[in-house]
Amino acid sequence: MEPLLGKELSEIGRLVLEHGQPAFRSLQIYEGLYRRQVSNLDQIHNLPRSFQLNLAKSFCVGRPRISQRFHSEDGTIRYLLCLDDDKTVEAVFIPEERRDTLCISTQVGCPVDCRFCLTALMGLERNLSAGEIVGQVLALSHDQQLGQGGRPVNIVMMGMGEPLLNLPAVLKATRLLADPKGMAIPQRRITVSTSGIIPQIDELGAADVRPRLAVSLNASDEESRQQLMPITRKYSLANLIEACARYPLRPWERLTFEYVLLRGVNDSDEDARRVVRLLANLNCKLNLIALNPGPGIPYETPDPERVASFQAIARKSFPCFVRKPRGRDIFAACGQLKRSLPDENRPAESESDAG
């Protein structure tokens, strides 16, 4: 069965005409999929029953299935989602005081071998389609009853994968997420994070509808970044900063840089001063992330005092925030997504016994 999720209005329009239906049926299907977020074609009640039955012979909605949920003490939920080919991918629901955040994946696994990231240990299995990216949002939104008109929802493509190595699907998913006729999530509430794939940064900047850009920095000099992020050997730190300098920011936008602090490796005051010099001429903010540890990661989390000292130096030059870890106890925090099982004392809740 071919999934309908991931199809834009024009694609659904061609499908409708092929079935001999009037053009206005395409908007009915599109709104059903993305605005009303149906899980079954039978739920699009304004379609003729005969047309529904014909569609159902070849098409399905195509939403990923929730296989397992892992619940954190802080309210975060890590989801294991099953795709149509039985590959699995993870997404995270993060409730906050004034909004909810959904962290979603763009690939099954990741080809970028960042030394401090658990996902990197998986390698790459395959890219996700635009429908599978959007489908994660729909699956979590349905499970958490995140209806339109409620609390704002932020979408961060910071789960499994390097989004810019799957850029066509990421851009198509962004158009679907942001379309006022569908899910209507503002572009300013959608963010994509990259390790620094320079040609695709330029391509992203040229797109009419695009998410905000966050760049994983994680080192203050070329040599250190090559050791932590081997991708730097292909796309140098100097060239990455040049790409960020020419990136076309919208009037309401600034670049975000993310910096994972590793004890005794990249967290010194001198590192902070070098970061300030690197970013001095950019309209940006800096998010600091104290390492979220995991098995197989050869680094340690710095002391809070070291994090505070780094922040104090950086915030004199641009906004600098310390990202509070969420879901660390269930391997749901930044850099921890690897389909890991939690502590045996915190068993997963399977879909069959979910409430």
Side-chain angles (χ1 to χ4, degrees):
M1 299 281 278
E2 183 179 348
L4 288 173
L5 280 185
K7 294 186 183 298
E8 296 183 271
L9 183 58
S10 59
E11 295 173 293
I12 295 175
R14 289 192 291 272
L15 182 157
V16 163
L17 292 178
E18 288 170 2
H19 280 75
Q21 294 291 316
F24 70 84
R25 297 287 182 213
S26 58
L27 185 58
Q28 292 175 329
I29 295 172
Y30 187 84
E31 289 181 338
L33 292 172
Y34 301 112
R35 180 178 291 277
R36 292 168 39 217
Q37 303 183 9
V38 302
S39 57
N40 191 293
L41 293 176
D42 289 345
Q43 297 169 343
I44 308 179
H45 299 302
N46 50 358
L47 294 180
R49 183 60 177 165
S50 59
F51 181 34
Q52 279 183 345
L53 292 173
N54 281 333
L55 272 182
K57 291 177 182 177
S58 303
F59 296 94
C60 61
V61 170
R63 184 186 296 175
R65 303 183 306 280
I66 297 174
S67 176
Q68 288 181 305
R69 302 175 183 83
F70 303 91
H71 295 262
S72 170
E73 295 174 350
D74 65 20
T76 299
I77 303 175
R78 174 165 63 97
Y79 287 83
L80 183 69
L81 301 171
C82 189
L83 308 173
D84 283 344
D85 62 356
D86 292 328
K87 296 283 188 184
T88 56
V89 73
E90 291 188 316
V92 182
F93 168 69
I94 307 169
E96 301 178 79
E97 185 178 349
R98 295 186 178 88
R99 65 189 180 196
D100 296 308
T101 296
L102 304 182
C103 177
I104 61 174
S105 297
T106 54
Q107 296 177 308
V108 183
C110 184
V112 181
D113 189 23
C114 298
R115 304 302 192 201
F116 47 84
C117 179
L118 279 173
T119 312
L121 301 178
M122 295 175 59
L124 177 67
E125 297 184 23
R126 69 168 174 84
N127 284 334
L128 296 182
S129 68
E132 290 169 332
I133 296 171
V134 172
Q136 296 170 68
V137 177
L138 291 172
L140 271 62
S141 179
H142 176 76
D143 197 58
Q144 294 296 327
Q145 299 182 338
L146 306 179
Q148 287 193 338
R151 289 153 54 89
V153 175
N154 284 356
I155 307 298
V156 294
M157 298 185 195
M158 298 181 182
M160 292 178 170
E162 165 52 68
L164 296 199
L165 291 179
N166 189 19
L167 186 57
V170 164
L171 286 175
K172 187 176 186 182
T174 301
R175 293 194 298 270
L176 290 167
L177 291 168
D179 188 352
K181 295 187 182 71
M183 300 176 71
I185 299 172
Q187 293 174 58
R188 67 176 65 218
R189 289 196 172 275
I190 307 171
T191 302
V192 65
S193 178
T194 181
S195 60
I197 314 298
I198 292 173
Q200 279 77 12
I201 289 176
D202 292 332
E203 187 178 345
L204 176 69
D208 292 333
V209 177
R210 54 184 164 91
R212 301 170 72 125
L213 177 62
V215 178
S216 293
L217 188 61
N218 305 322
S220 62
D221 61 80
E222 200 82 44
E223 182 179 357
S224 297
R225 197 169 192 270
Q226 282 189 17
Q227 292 175 358
L228 295 173
M229 305 178 70
I231 194 75
T232 305
R233 295 168 195 162
K234 184 173 184 180
Y235 302 112
S236 72
L237 179 57
N239 289 340
L240 174 60
I241 297 300
E242 290 175 1
C244 292
R246 64 176 177 264
Y247 189 79
L249 294 171
R250 291 159 286 194
W252 45 266
E253 188 175 19
R254 69 171 78 213
L255 288 168
T256 297
F257 287 90
E258 297 166 316
Y259 194 101
V260 177
L261 291 161
L262 313 172
R263 184 199 295 258
V265 176
N266 65 354
D267 63 343
S268 70
D269 287 353
E270 184 52 38
D271 282 304
R273 286 188 279 269
R274 281 195 293 265
V275 167
V276 167
R277 290 194 291 271
L278 268 178
L279 307 183
N281 297 318
L282 301 176
N283 180 11
C284 68
K285 68 176 182 178
L286 179 66
N287 286 338
L288 301 178
I289 305 164
L291 174 70
N292 296 304
I297 301 299
Y299 301 105
E300 296 179 351
T301 305
D303 295 330
E305 295 78 13
R306 181 92 305 273
V307 177
S309 179
F310 197 110
Q311 182 189 27
I313 292 170
R315 73 189 326 174
K316 293 176 183 177
S317 299
F318 38 70
C320 180
F321 306 94
V322 177
R323 190 188 295 175
K324 180 181 177 182
R326 298 294 301 272
R328 191 184 268 180
D329 57 322
I330 57 164
F331 292 98
C334 181
Q336 288 190 315
L337 297 186
K338 187 179 170 282
R339 300 184 293 214
S340 304
L341 292 176
D343 188 286
E344 290 181 357
N345 293 324
R346 298 184 61 81
E349 175 191 340
S350 68
E351 176 62 10
S352 60
D353 59 20

